[in-house]
Amino acid sequence: MGNLKVTPLNAEHRALGAKMVDFGGWDMPVQYTSILDEHIAVRTRAGLFDVSHMGEIWIEGPKALDLVQRLSSNDASKLAVGQIHYAGLLTGDGCFVDDMLVHKMADDRYLLVVNASNTDKDFAWVQKNAKGFDAKVTNASPQTAQIAIQGPKAVEILQPLVPDADLSAVKYYWFTYGTLLGEKRLLARTGYTGEDGYEIYLPPSKAAELWRLLLERGKSQGLIPAGLGARDTLRLEACMALYGNDIDDTTTVLEADLGWILKLNKGCDFNGKAALEKQKAAGVERKLVAFELTERGIPRHGMECYSGGKKVGHVTSGTQAPFLKKPLGMCYLPTALSQPGATFEVDIRGKRVPAKVVPKPHYKRTK
Amino acid sequence: MSIPSGLKYSKTHEWVKVEGGVGTVGITDFAQHELGDIVFVEAPQPGDAVSAGTQMGTVESVKAVSELNSPVSGTVAETNDALVDHPEFLNQDPYGNGWIVKVTLSNVKELEGLMDADAYGKYVAESGH
């Protein structure tokens, strides 16, 4: 407990009576009142998340793009200034050092947003790869707080506080700058919930004031603070991968069924390219799929999957989905079993419960 | 936190209310609060034997799986089937609609090994919560 890292909003969470947990070395709120209520609030109204633990790594300089291209599965040369995309930060084997959001700030400036507990590892990996590139790499995580406002009412709640930017005009996975509490802030229309919303980047010293202001102004539209518990169930309904569960440094981009972030023909070499070309040519043996249980039970991370009495994979994420109200998850299965409709069983404490593969994502918002 | 008098409590946070040789069993208000939103209850069925201090089922919240122990020994007489569709009764009304099973006791003396409301209140306080 004594060694846990805290975000600048730690005292706010405690004052709100949040249940705190050790999340990858961070003292974070898992819930304020109820994971179910917080989940439903984000799906139907809006929720406020402290995501200050996330890592921010800047890559700047004449060869910034070349370095990003070396590190990333995606093709950053296709990004316009102001645009963001999801990508894999790849190992030489085409697996994940981490997953990340790549923001193009300028032709020679990129911002990578990475997972909190991976930040130090990621930064070391980026630095190691930066040798020979004319680019400066900075870990700005300790100087950067992040607040996410997510849900169908998020833009409506945030807009009146940002007089100089039209937030509804910004496309999903683009960012803008707007004046919030008197200072220009980076406002990115991104999130990890499957809902519309913004992720707001600001200095730690300004975080508490904004947090309180948003909660106060959003109250009448049903905004409530939401913890990591709801964040996890929300992202799982939306089939967004969680590093350490669904993807890690033993799963390739192709196995994770993230072919859409893999640009083998981006016109340069990159970490993992050769391994992924080879795997693509040979065909993947297993694939990350979405599934539902067809009988009662709740699938959980680590449970084994069976077909014809043989172990064929394991559940990477599972829950009783709060909005969809059914037991579902994601798991790795042999490619032959990976098509929607395929059936298998999940071993829940010794009982084999029938399951079926379903199309991804479990949940998609109506625009 | 609610700890009604007249019930007996186990160290694993189950309660039992005994009437005419039958014990109604559930989890305590403290337990439901610690677990958070309960979304699944797996309980033994009528006719099943249960044994004091031994697992008889599972209670799952959104985040966690928790063993459900029986505070008493005997045979299950009735199971609260409403919990199949309404596991949230355990959160909303742990000592009422959230009851889990009724057990025909085989050894009434076991009840002496359980705590009364005062002792359970102290137990919860002392275990650091």
Side-chain angles (χ1 to χ4, degrees), chain A residues 36-337:
Chain A
L36 293 180
D37 290 352
E38 291 162 25
H39 183 116
I40 299 301
V42 174
R43 286 274 179 264
T44 58
R45 306 186 308 271
L48 196 65
F49 297 84
D50 175 14
V51 283
S52 300
H53 59 314
M54 298 294 283
E56 290 83 11
I57 296 171
W58 290 86
I59 298 181
E60 299 163 280
K63 295 292 175 193
L65 174 61
D66 293 351
L67 176 54
V68 172
Q69 291 288 65
R70 164 63 62 92
L71 294 164
S72 171
S73 65
N74 213 327
D75 183 0
S77 74
K78 292 287 196 290
L79 287 175
V81 173
Q83 200 176 6
I84 304 158
H85 67 201
Y86 179 59
L89 179 64
L90 297 186
T91 69
D93 301 327
C95 296
F96 291 89
V97 175
D98 204 351
D99 60 348
M100 59 182 176
L101 290 181
V102 179
H103 302 61
K104 182 170 182 175
M105 314 306 291
D107 285 335
D108 58 355
R109 271 185 100 210
Y110 291 83
L111 168 63
L112 314 183
V113 177
V114 300
N115 283 298
S117 52
N118 287 340
T119 305
D120 292 344
K121 174 186 80 170
D122 294 351
F123 183 56
W125 177 250
V126 173
Q127 279 185 309
K128 188 178 165 194
N129 279 273
K131 291 195 179 91
F133 288 92
D134 186 4
K136 189 177 92 178
V137 177
T138 315
N139 178 6
S141 307
Q143 294 84 44
T144 313
Q146 200 192 134
I147 294 173
I149 182 167
Q150 301 276 300
K153 299 274 185 195
V155 173
E156 195 181 314
I157 294 165
L158 186 57
Q159 182 65 75
L161 303 174
V162 188
D164 55 350
D166 181 357
L167 298 183
S168 55
V170 178
K171 284 183 271 184
Y172 198 50
Y173 274 72
W174 287 71
F175 64 83
T176 189
Y177 298 93
T179 303
L180 241 184
L181 286 168
E183 286 180 80
K184 282 273 183 197
R185 300 293 179 221
L186 172 60
L187 311 170
R189 201 165 190 175
T190 49
Y192 192 53
T193 59
E195 295 302 328
D196 190 13
Y198 272 87
E199 294 183 305
I200 304 161
Y201 295 81
L202 72 171
S205 61
K206 307 286 183 179
E209 191 185 358
L210 179 63
W211 175 263
R212 286 181 200 166
L213 180 70
L214 284 168
L215 283 180
E216 183 201 312
R217 295 296 177 86
K219 205 170 187 176
S220 59
Q221 281 118 305
L223 175 75
I224 58 170
L228 293 184
R231 188 166 153 87
D232 186 45
T233 51
L234 286 157
R235 69 91 199 163
L236 178 51
E237 281 186 344
C239 280
M240 298 168 114
L242 173 61
Y243 192 88
N245 278 30
D246 311 301
I247 55 172
D248 59 27
D249 59 9
T250 67
T251 59
T252 73
V253 184
L254 291 167
E255 289 168 344
D257 198 23
L258 291 169
W260 62 278
I261 61 165
L262 176 60
K263 302 293 155 61
L264 288 168
N265 300 317
K266 67 183 180 180
C268 61
D269 192 20
F270 60 95
N271 293 336
K273 184 184 184 191
L276 290 165
E277 274 172 342
K278 200 173 151 195
Q279 188 176 47
K280 192 174 182 186
V284 289
E285 287 176 13
R286 59 172 187 165
K287 228 167 155 179
L288 186 65
V289 304
F291 72 91
E292 293 174 8
L293 294 187
T294 50
E295 287 180 17
R296 268 167 54 80
I298 301 180
R300 303 280 184 183
H301 172 71
M303 287 178 175
E304 294 178 341
C305 303
Y306 286 83
S307 174
K310 267 176 42 189
K311 190 189 161 197
V312 290
H314 65 278
V315 174
T316 55
S317 292
T319 195
Q320 170 72 21
F323 185 75
L324 299 174
K325 298 190 190 308
K326 50 190 173 186
L328 52 74
M330 293 197 278
C331 66
Y332 280 97
L333 286 180
T335 306
L337 274 173

Side-chain angles (χ1 to χ4, degrees), chain A residues 19 30-31 33-37 228-229 232-233 296-300 303 318-320 322 348-349 351, chain B residues 32-43 55 58 60-65 83-85 88 91:
Chain A
K19 190 180 281 186
V30 66
Q31 65 175 60
T33 54
S34 145
I35 294 174
L36 293 180
D37 290 352
L228 293 184
D232 186 45
T233 51
R296 268 167 54 80
I298 301 180
R300 303 280 184 183
M303 287 178 175
T319 195
Q320 170 72 21
I348 302 182
R349 294 179 291 278
K351 193 177 155 197
Chain B
Q32 70 80 14
H33 192 260
E34 285 294 297
L35 281 166
D37 298 304
I38 291 163
V39 290
F40 190 82
V41 181
E42 196 172 39
Q55 186 177 0
T58 318
E60 299 194 43
S61 66
V62 177
K63 289 299 277 183
V65 181
L83 300 179
V84 172
D85 292 325
E88 71 275 12
N91 294 115

